[in-house]
Amino acid sequence: MQDGFGRTIDYLRISVTDLCNYRCRYCMPPEGVAKRGHGDILRLEEIEEIARAAVSLGVRKLRLTGGEPLVRRGIVELCARLAAIPGVEDLAITTNGSLLPQMAGELKAAGVRRVNISLDTLREKKFQQLTRQGNLTDTLRGVEEALRQDLAPVKINTVLIGGCNDDEIGNLAALTCLWPVEVRFIELMPIGPAAQFGTEAFLPADTVLQRLPQLQEEPPDGGVARLYRLPGAPGRVGLITPLSCRFCAGCSRLRLTADGKLKPCLHSAEEIEVRGLHGEDLRQALLRAAACKPADYGALSRTERSRAHRDMNQIGG
């Protein structure tokens, strides 16, 4: 499956819920989001059917997102179904890690290969302020359990927020000396609640290089992150730059929202309804979504917000 610019589309990100047990300030309102009725989100069988159609067209990588995907009832069963689809080479999950201490073993047994874990601070009080109701110990235990279950490579996603956690760059990067993880510093994007942040919050990821001049550049691995390593560290540091240095030319993904719409681009308002489609109609909708991928996501900066018309928890982080 290719888009109109010759990019091969082999990656589908699937949001299984817009609910979350955290209320991160850059992602969700303090009261959370209204719980949808069962009929308003895709059933497990529908997700599997859409994934099978995507794989039949060349998708090889699936990632489950949210909200928080591990709060979705039946998530382990869904993982087992998706992992069993012939042609799926990689099944991953993006999670806040809080439920991994209890679920990592089940997820591994169901066929999940790796996890990305959101972690923006190593200070308990700040963690509670950022997540509004999270517990740092739970997330750190989740990282440890993911490593124990070999859900590797374990990647830690850190949203870089000026005036909030930029004073922790060194401590967060030092996790790569403690564990064989990849700590990825991600530029804050002006989408959802984050679009209301002051311009000082939107730091370029190169701030990490300025603070840690000892970082040594690593060869690229085909992903979107620029990779570095602290001397002697078993893990790596990654920089993801959606604002300062966009990577649209290599984008290989489509996104499926929890309510059954395909998004060709994270920051585009374009959405294609696929719920209720089957067989060739479903395949054609996926091909249309690929064909609708723009060359890039246009204007996006610390002063120009995303045109997605949805918050990140509604699209899939």
Side-chain angles (χ1 to χ4, degrees):
M1 183 162 52
Q2 287 195 324
D3 68 6
F5 301 92
R7 295 172 294 199
T8 297
I9 309 304
D10 62 0
Y11 183 7
L12 179 65
R13 296 176 69 103
I14 302 170
S15 175
V16 297
T17 181
D18 58 3
L19 299 177
C20 186
N21 54 345
Y22 287 1
R23 302 284 183 271
C24 292
R25 292 181 179 274
Y26 54 79
C27 184
M28 297 181 72
E31 68 277 8
V33 296
K35 189 172 183 179
R36 296 171 181 256
H38 290 300
D40 296 327
I41 62 172
L42 292 170
R43 303 189 313 276
L44 302 188
E45 295 81 4
E46 292 175 305
I47 294 173
E48 181 187 359
E49 182 180 15
I50 295 166
R52 284 185 178 275
V55 172
S56 75
L57 292 169
V59 163
R60 294 294 174 258
K61 298 181 288 186
L62 302 175
R63 175 175 293 278
L64 303 184
T65 70
E68 170 49 50
L70 300 189
V71 304
R72 172 70 191 261
R73 184 177 298 177
I75 187 66
V76 174
E77 176 189 348
L78 176 62
C79 289
R81 291 185 180 199
L82 298 180
I85 297 174
V88 171
E89 298 174 359
D90 186 20
L91 176 62
I93 289 181
T94 295
T95 171
N96 62 35
S98 63
L99 299 175
L100 281 176
Q102 301 92 342
M103 299 181 66
E106 291 181 279
L107 294 169
K108 178 71 173 181
V112 176
R113 294 197 175 186
R114 56 194 179 93
V115 293
N116 288 20
I117 300 172
S118 299
L119 177 62
D120 299 320
T121 176
L122 295 172
R123 297 174 183 164
E124 181 65 57
K125 185 175 180 180
K126 189 187 295 183
F127 189 92
Q128 293 172 354
Q129 291 172 340
L130 271 172
T131 63
R132 292 193 175 100
Q133 58 189 53
N135 184 293
L136 177 59
T137 299
D138 290 342
T139 293
L140 293 177
R141 288 179 57 226
V143 175
E144 292 173 337
E145 189 59 27
L147 289 167
R148 189 161 23 253
Q149 296 294 336
D150 195 29
L151 289 168
V154 174
K155 297 181 180 180
I156 293 175
N157 290 345
T158 298
V159 177
L160 190 58
I161 309 172
C164 176
N165 64 356
D166 54 312
D167 61 337
E168 294 186 68
I169 288 173
N171 289 338
L172 287 158
L175 293 176
T176 66
C177 299
L178 176 65
W179 293 317
V181 298
E182 183 178 307
V183 175
R184 312 194 312 167
F185 292 96
I186 304 170
E187 291 176 344
L188 179 69
M189 293 181 288
I191 183 173
Q196 308 306 317
F197 287 15
T199 56
E200 69 281 357
F202 296 87
L203 291 180
D206 280 354
T207 303
V208 176
L209 301 181
Q210 296 166 10
R211 303 283 178 86
L212 301 174
Q214 67 271 40
L215 283 170
Q216 301 167 349
E217 191 165 3
E218 292 271 299
D221 66 356
V224 299
R226 291 155 44 199
L227 299 172
Y228 302 84
R229 193 182 300 270
L230 289 168
R236 302 186 298 186
V237 171
L239 304 184
I240 299 180
T241 56
L243 266 64
S244 65
C245 186
R246 63 186 60 188
F247 36 80
C248 300
C251 184
S252 62
R253 66 189 63 175
L254 297 175
R255 294 172 182 264
L256 175 66
T257 65
D259 56 356
K261 294 178 175 59
L262 284 171
K263 287 188 69 68
C265 172
L266 167 61
H267 295 295
S268 168
E270 182 81 35
E271 295 184 350
I272 295 173
E273 178 72 63
V274 290
R275 193 170 197 188
L277 299 182
H278 309 283
E280 190 57 28
D281 289 339
L282 177 54
R283 286 166 52 89
Q284 288 301 317
L286 283 155
L287 291 170
R288 281 200 308 278
C292 285
K293 278 184 72 67
D296 58 45
Y297 43 70
L300 186 69
S301 70
R302 63 181 67 187
T303 58
E304 297 183 76
R305 67 171 294 162
S306 171
R307 293 172 290 181
H309 298 327
R310 289 186 188 237
D311 293 348
M312 280 298 293
N313 68 293
Q314 298 171 316
I315 299 172

PDB file of all heavy atoms in Angstrom, residues 63-75:
ATOM      1  N   ARG A  63       0.213  -0.974  16.426  1.00  0.00           N
ATOM      2  CA  ARG A  63       0.444  -0.433  17.757  1.00  0.00           C
ATOM      3  C   ARG A  63      -0.890  -0.053  18.380  1.00  0.00           C
ATOM      4  O   ARG A  63      -1.693   0.641  17.749  1.00  0.00           O
ATOM      5  CB  ARG A  63       1.358   0.799  17.719  1.00  0.00           C
ATOM      6  CG  ARG A  63       1.527   1.454  19.098  1.00  0.00           C
ATOM      7  CD  ARG A  63       2.532   2.589  19.069  1.00  0.00           C
ATOM      8  NE  ARG A  63       3.875   2.110  18.822  1.00  0.00           N
ATOM      9  CZ  ARG A  63       4.675   1.611  19.761  1.00  0.00           C
ATOM     10  NH1 ARG A  63       4.249   1.527  21.021  1.00  0.00           N
ATOM     11  NH2 ARG A  63       5.883   1.198  19.453  1.00  0.00           N
ATOM     12  N   LEU A  64      -1.123  -0.512  19.601  1.00  0.00           N
ATOM     13  CA  LEU A  64      -2.349  -0.183  20.327  1.00  0.00           C
ATOM     14  C   LEU A  64      -2.087   1.003  21.228  1.00  0.00           C
ATOM     15  O   LEU A  64      -1.102   1.043  21.973  1.00  0.00           O
ATOM     16  CB  LEU A  64      -2.817  -1.383  21.140  1.00  0.00           C
ATOM     17  CG  LEU A  64      -3.072  -2.666  20.343  1.00  0.00           C
ATOM     18  CD1 LEU A  64      -3.632  -3.754  21.253  1.00  0.00           C
ATOM     19  CD2 LEU A  64      -4.011  -2.413  19.173  1.00  0.00           C
ATOM     20  N   THR A  65      -2.991   1.994  21.148  1.00  0.00           N
ATOM     21  CA  THR A  65      -2.850   3.219  21.914  1.00  0.00           C
ATOM     22  C   THR A  65      -4.180   3.572  22.558  1.00  0.00           C
ATOM     23  O   THR A  65      -5.158   2.837  22.457  1.00  0.00           O
ATOM     24  CB  THR A  65      -2.388   4.376  21.015  1.00  0.00           C
ATOM     25  OG1 THR A  65      -3.458   4.734  20.119  1.00  0.00           O
ATOM     26  CG2 THR A  65      -1.173   4.005  20.183  1.00  0.00           C
ATOM     27  N   GLY A  66      -4.224   4.732  23.199  1.00  0.00           N
ATOM     28  CA  GLY A  66      -5.449   5.221  23.813  1.00  0.00           C
ATOM     29  C   GLY A  66      -5.547   6.720  23.626  1.00  0.00           C
ATOM     30  O   GLY A  66      -5.052   7.247  22.636  1.00  0.00           O
ATOM     31  N   GLY A  67      -6.025   7.409  24.654  1.00  0.00           N
ATOM     32  CA  GLY A  67      -6.214   7.040  26.041  1.00  0.00           C
ATOM     33  C   GLY A  67      -5.134   6.085  26.566  1.00  0.00           C
ATOM     34  O   GLY A  67      -4.017   6.078  26.130  1.00  0.00           O
ATOM     35  N   GLU A  68      -5.560   5.317  27.525  1.00  0.00           N
ATOM     36  CA  GLU A  68      -4.710   4.278  28.100  1.00  0.00           C
ATOM     37  C   GLU A  68      -5.243   2.925  27.648  1.00  0.00           C
ATOM     38  O   GLU A  68      -6.307   2.489  28.114  1.00  0.00           O
ATOM     39  CB  GLU A  68      -4.686   4.381  29.624  1.00  0.00           C
ATOM     40  CG  GLU A  68      -4.024   3.206  30.335  1.00  0.00           C
ATOM     41  CD  GLU A  68      -2.661   2.862  29.748  1.00  0.00           C
ATOM     42  OE1 GLU A  68      -1.826   3.774  29.588  1.00  0.00           O
ATOM     43  OE2 GLU A  68      -2.429   1.674  29.459  1.00  0.00           O
ATOM     44  N   PRO A  69      -4.562   2.254  26.731  1.00  0.00           N
ATOM     45  CA  PRO A  69      -5.109   1.019  26.153  1.00  0.00           C
ATOM     46  C   PRO A  69      -5.339  -0.088  27.174  1.00  0.00           C
ATOM     47  O   PRO A  69      -6.227  -0.925  26.985  1.00  0.00           O
ATOM     48  CB  PRO A  69      -4.062   0.615  25.112  1.00  0.00           C
ATOM     49  CG  PRO A  69      -2.818   1.324  25.511  1.00  0.00           C
ATOM     50  CD  PRO A  69      -3.263   2.604  26.135  1.00  0.00           C
ATOM     51  N   LEU A  70      -4.568  -0.108  28.265  1.00  0.00           N
ATOM     52  CA  LEU A  70      -4.700  -1.212  29.212  1.00  0.00           C
ATOM     53  C   LEU A  70      -5.945  -1.116  30.084  1.00  0.00           C
ATOM     54  O   LEU A  70      -6.256  -2.061  30.799  1.00  0.00           O
ATOM     55  CB  LEU A  70      -3.448  -1.320  30.082  1.00  0.00           C
ATOM     56  CG  LEU A  70      -2.139  -1.563  29.317  1.00  0.00           C
ATOM     57  CD1 LEU A  70      -1.007  -1.864  30.282  1.00  0.00           C
ATOM     58  CD2 LEU A  70      -2.290  -2.687  28.288  1.00  0.00           C
ATOM     59  N   VAL A  71      -6.696   0.003  30.011  1.00  0.00           N
ATOM     60  CA  VAL A  71      -7.971   0.068  30.742  1.00  0.00           C
ATOM     61  C   VAL A  71      -9.110  -0.498  29.898  1.00  0.00           C
ATOM     62  O   VAL A  71     -10.221  -0.677  30.409  1.00  0.00           O
ATOM     63  CB  VAL A  71      -8.313   1.506  31.199  1.00  0.00           C
ATOM     64  CG1 VAL A  71      -7.195   2.093  32.037  1.00  0.00           C
ATOM     65  CG2 VAL A  71      -8.651   2.417  30.016  1.00  0.00           C
ATOM     66  N   ARG A  72      -8.844  -0.802  28.629  1.00  0.00           N
ATOM     67  CA  ARG A  72      -9.890  -1.335  27.757  1.00  0.00           C
ATOM     68  C   ARG A  72     -10.163  -2.785  28.124  1.00  0.00           C
ATOM     69  O   ARG A  72      -9.263  -3.636  28.159  1.00  0.00           O
ATOM     70  CB  ARG A  72      -9.465  -1.247  26.287  1.00  0.00           C
ATOM     71  CG  ARG A  72     -10.401  -1.951  25.277  1.00  0.00           C
ATOM     72  CD  ARG A  72     -11.730  -1.246  25.133  1.00  0.00           C
ATOM     73  NE  ARG A  72     -12.690  -2.054  24.395  1.00  0.00           N
ATOM     74  CZ  ARG A  72     -12.979  -1.917  23.095  1.00  0.00           C
ATOM     75  NH1 ARG A  72     -12.357  -0.987  22.383  1.00  0.00           N
ATOM     76  NH2 ARG A  72     -13.870  -2.685  22.517  1.00  0.00           N
ATOM     77  N   ARG A  73     -11.423  -3.076  28.410  1.00  0.00           N
ATOM     78  CA  ARG A  73     -11.805  -4.449  28.724  1.00  0.00           C
ATOM     79  C   ARG A  73     -11.531  -5.355  27.521  1.00  0.00           C
ATOM     80  O   ARG A  73     -11.868  -5.028  26.390  1.00  0.00           O
ATOM     81  CB  ARG A  73     -13.288  -4.516  29.098  1.00  0.00           C
ATOM     82  CG  ARG A  73     -13.767  -5.891  29.528  1.00  0.00           C
ATOM     83  CD  ARG A  73     -15.217  -5.846  29.955  1.00  0.00           C
ATOM     84  NE  ARG A  73     -15.421  -4.975  31.104  1.00  0.00           N
ATOM     85  CZ  ARG A  73     -16.617  -4.723  31.647  1.00  0.00           C
ATOM     86  NH1 ARG A  73     -17.702  -5.278  31.121  1.00  0.00           N
ATOM     87  NH2 ARG A  73     -16.721  -3.924  32.686  1.00  0.00           N
ATOM     88  N   GLY A  74     -10.903  -6.494  27.782  1.00  0.00           N
ATOM     89  CA  GLY A  74     -10.605  -7.438  26.712  1.00  0.00           C
ATOM     90  C   GLY A  74      -9.313  -7.146  25.967  1.00  0.00           C
ATOM     91  O   GLY A  74      -9.050  -7.759  24.923  1.00  0.00           O
ATOM     92  N   ILE A  75      -8.460  -6.253  26.506  1.00  0.00           N
ATOM     93  CA  ILE A  75      -7.264  -5.854  25.765  1.00  0.00           C
ATOM     94  C   ILE A  75      -6.322  -7.030  25.542  1.00  0.00           C
ATOM     95  O   ILE A  75      -5.706  -7.150  24.465  1.00  0.00           O
ATOM     96  CB  ILE A  75      -6.548  -4.689  26.490  1.00  0.00           C
ATOM     97  CG1 ILE A  75      -5.401  -4.145  25.636  1.00  0.00           C
ATOM     98  CG2 ILE A  75      -6.045  -5.115  27.859  1.00  0.00           C
ATOM     99  CD1 ILE A  75      -5.825  -3.492  24.364  1.00  0.00           C
TER     100      ILE A  75
END
